[in-house]
Amino acid sequence: MLWPTALTTALLASVAVSSPSLHLRQQQENVLANLSLADFVAQERTIALQGVLANIGGLNSSLVEGASPGVVVASPSTVNPNYFFTWTRDSALTYIMLIDELIFGNTSLKGTIEDYTSAQAFLQTVTNPSGSLYPAGDGLGEPKFYTNLTRFDGTWGRPQRDGPALRAIAFMNLAPVLFALNETDEFRRIYWPLVTNDLLYTSQYWNQACHDKLILSTRLIRTGYDLWEEVHGNSFFTVAAQHRALVQGALLAEEIGEECEFCQQADQILCLLSNNFWNETGGYITADINVNNVNRSGINADPLLAAITNFDYNATCDSVYQPCNSRILATHKVVVDAFRNLYPINKNATAPKAVLIGRYPEDTYFKGGAWPLCTFAAAELLYDAAAQLNEIGTLSIDEDSLAFFQDLYPDANVSDYTGNELRVITGAMTTYADGFISAVQQYILPNGSISEQINTTSGASYSASKLTWSFASFITASQRRARQYPPSWGAWTDLAHGNLTSSQCESSSYNATGQYLPATGAGAPNITNLTSLCYSEVIFSVNATTSFGTNVFLAGNVSQLGGALDDPEKIILPLNPGNYSSTNPVWYVDIWLEAGEGVEYQYILQQSNGTFRFEGGQLRNLTVGGCGSGNVTRVNDVFNTTMGTNANANASVSA
């Protein structure tokens, strides 16, 4: 029996994070925790959908008052942690799920999808610390904003390259719905400009390990942060999403008679994806490569989330890292096994007993709890893989996947399986998947709310409450358990498999041919004279040795740098520590300024207590280089720690 909407919303609004003792008492009375799995999934799916909608600005936003229509708030939590922001990645993943729900028959979601469209069209045009829409599109990589669609100027792991790719996927998934309604022209007018901006960004920034000798001379690698916003480098999840977006974009462009020349970068992304992430010794896909000073094993839920995001029911298992791919299944085993003995709550359970898992074994964020969304992903991947194998009709077990399958079917060998044996094995996979759902069910809050984390000893929910991503991940796992699959995006096509030899693979992305323009048909503001101004790229880097909790900002006399000096209230440009190391303590920021203009600027340290310390010496100055992307103005500075001196602190400028 499904809970009425009003009751569900009221219960969600009243939830609080449980203490361990309260949690144990609640579990004894928890109806949801004691239901059969089928009944639990049916009831929780309704609760989770209402939880998602309650966290989105608009008519249903009972938990996030003040959020703009269509804006996904990560969580109503405002303290410990404060998640009352909107993330491009989380929002896109949420709406990918909601668009699937629309496709599966929930037409009531049409309004909130339209609100999301308008909100994202506007958000693409918001200038932010990562940049702007025009001329270089770098602002699209900004990870989060305030819920009223204004910029967030605090320090953060930026840029994050997965958001634009995922947002493009969300809108492209909507295309078949509109095509079925004979609204192809509407899609072309409203959605394609939105998608084009994000695909252009994806093709231009998928791997900025720049060829520019000025950049390489200081080891500046401009890639991005991973989906956990902690590691600067190439994330498997991000690269997989980027590959899918460009393949799907190329196929869709052909279908609607549009051009997407830059979508051909999908082949180059496939080179990076296929040849760099497999850990041969460990037998798993490592989460991040090209990282700086990260002491981790690379065992991470990242590849599991990547595989379910790129799931295509029509794909073969040798398609690019689909759920039934041998290396994905091998990674599933390694990731799950890493948490069996790590979390006391798992009681050292051995396979094929499912357990709670987290993001990665070394996680210390809020003491490193189990993450429901990661545990649901482990289940969803198995539902997906079993569906693909049953559709294909053959399971080919190889050396990579053998250990995974021996957990479920002890007689498994390196061989092909069909018929009844295949059905036995895929049945065991489905049962295993159910176990991950049940693992979370044991510790679900009585009202069905799902927090960010579960305490690994007591089972109490904590960290951000009513996490939108947690709700959404439960729904997508429920969809796959019910054999509801999204439309194919083309993972089975020749385009998705690529045609480059290793000698043709390039090490980095390039400046794609295209122009970033507001998607006015979707609700973006019509910015006048956008293309009449001439801009030039400027890369500021400063050698500034800092300790944990200290950040570096940049202030200047031009609007992009705050427009005023010596005023902490107008310091709006945080620098990026992504390439910082003990031997190369460099902070940097890459922005576009008006060509030829004179700039006065100054660096500022934000102390761990929140106060600001302006560097000493004279103001620095530079003249921005010539017009166009080929002219890069490069400044290499050293933070002036001497206060009140008159030492010359002008930048070292090269172009």
Side-chain angles (χ1 to χ4, degrees), residues 16 76 127 298 354 356 363 408 421 424 452 473 489 518 559 581 615 624 633:
T127 299
L356 294 170
D363 195 3
L408 305 178
E421 275 192 297
V424 169
E452 182 178 62
S473 64
W489 58 267
S559 60
S581 69
E615 67 175 342
V624 179
T633 303

Side-chain angles (χ1 to χ4, degrees), residues 306-330:
I308 63 175
T309 302
N310 282 7
F311 168 60
D312 188 328
Y313 179 72
N314 295 323
T316 58
C317 296
D318 63 352
S319 297
V320 186
Y321 291 126
Q322 286 293 300
C324 65
N325 181 276
S326 291
R327 290 186 170 181
I328 287 290
L329 294 174

Side-chain angles (χ1 to χ4, degrees), residues 149-390:
L149 298 176
T150 56
R151 56 187 284 162
F152 169 72
D153 288 330
T155 54
W156 207 253
R158 54 170 65 91
Q160 293 178 27
R161 311 291 195 189
D162 54 357
L166 293 167
R167 181 166 55 196
I169 289 169
F171 289 130
M172 289 189 290
N173 284 1
L174 193 59
V177 178
L178 298 181
F179 295 169
L181 298 172
N182 296 316
E183 294 182 358
T184 302
D185 289 342
E186 287 296 287
F187 180 86
R188 188 183 292 111
R189 179 180 66 85
I190 295 173
Y191 293 98
W192 186 245
L194 266 172
V195 170
T196 298
N197 283 334
D198 284 337
L199 293 181
L200 178 56
Y201 178 90
T202 299
S203 69
Q204 186 169 342
Y205 295 102
W206 62 267
N207 187 33
Q208 279 221 303
C210 301
H211 295 301
D212 191 322
K213 64 181 181 180
L214 299 175
I215 297 170
L216 292 178
S217 67
T218 58
R219 299 171 52 245
L220 179 60
I221 308 299
R222 295 179 295 168
T223 48
Y225 282 82
D226 69 334
L227 78 166
W228 308 128
E229 307 188 296
E230 296 171 343
V231 178
H232 191 255
N234 296 107
S235 156
F236 183 86
F237 176 89
T238 299
V239 178
Q242 291 168 330
H243 176 257
R244 172 184 170 168
L246 292 186
V247 170
Q248 190 171 356
L251 294 171
L252 181 58
E254 183 178 1
E255 184 175 1
I256 64 176
E258 294 286 349
E259 295 291 330
C260 192
E261 180 182 352
F262 45 80
C263 287
Q264 300 307 314
Q265 281 282 289
D267 276 357
Q268 294 293 345
I269 298 175
L270 183 60
C271 289
L272 177 65
L273 189 65
S274 301
N275 300 320
N276 295 277
F277 288 91
W278 178 246
N279 183 319
E280 189 72 42
T281 302
Y284 60 88
I285 298 167
T286 192
D288 303 284
I289 60 172
N290 299 324
V291 299
N292 189 32
N293 291 341
V294 177
N295 186 22
R296 295 183 189 172
S297 62
I299 298 172
N300 196 302
D302 171 305
L304 310 188
L305 289 157
I308 63 175
T309 302
N310 282 7
F311 168 60
D312 188 328
Y313 179 72
N314 295 323
T316 58
C317 296
D318 63 352
S319 297
V320 186
Y321 291 126
Q322 286 293 300
C324 65
N325 181 276
S326 291
R327 290 186 170 181
I328 287 290
L329 294 174
T331 303
H332 186 285
K333 174 177 171 54
V334 170
V335 170
V336 174
D337 285 354
F339 292 97
R340 293 185 180 280
N341 302 329
L342 183 64
Y343 293 166
I345 202 169
N346 289 334
K347 300 177 182 178
N348 300 328
T350 58
K353 172 74 173 178
V355 294
L356 294 170
I357 70 170
R359 301 188 300 174
Y360 51 91
E362 303 87 355
D363 195 3
T364 59
Y365 178 69
F366 274 76
K367 299 184 178 179
W371 283 54
L373 72 89
C374 295
T375 308
F376 294 144
E380 183 176 340
L381 187 147
L382 297 176
Y383 293 135
D384 291 347
Q388 289 176 317
L389 291 169
N390 286 330

Side-chain angles (χ1 to χ4, degrees), residues 48 51-52 55 72-75 83 87 89-94 97 160 162 166 226-229 237 301-302 305-306 308-309 359 371-374 376-377 380 450-452 465-476:
V52 167
N55 283 348
V72 178
V73 182
S75 163
Y83 279 12
W87 273 262
R89 172 189 48 256
D90 301 29
S91 300
L93 289 170
T94 298
M97 177 275 293
Q160 293 178 27
D162 54 357
L166 293 167
D226 69 334
L227 78 166
W228 308 128
E229 307 188 296
F237 176 89
D302 171 305
L305 289 157
I308 63 175
T309 302
R359 301 188 300 174
W371 283 54
L373 72 89
C374 295
F376 294 144
E380 183 176 340
I450 311 175
S451 297
E452 182 178 62
S465 63
K466 311 177 204 63
L467 190 75
T468 307
W469 195 357
S470 292
F471 286 135
S473 64
F474 178 85
I475 294 170
T476 55

Side-chain angles (χ1 to χ4, degrees), residues 120-126 132-135 140 189-197 515-531:
Q120 297 307 304
F122 179 86
L123 211 54
Q124 282 189 343
T125 68
V126 174
S132 56
L133 178 65
Y134 185 85
L140 298 177
R189 179 180 66 85
I190 295 173
Y191 293 98
W192 186 245
L194 266 172
V195 170
T196 298
N197 283 334
Q515 189 173 60
Y516 297 94
L517 293 171
T520 54
N526 188 7
I527 304 173
T528 58
N529 300 321
L530 187 64
T531 61

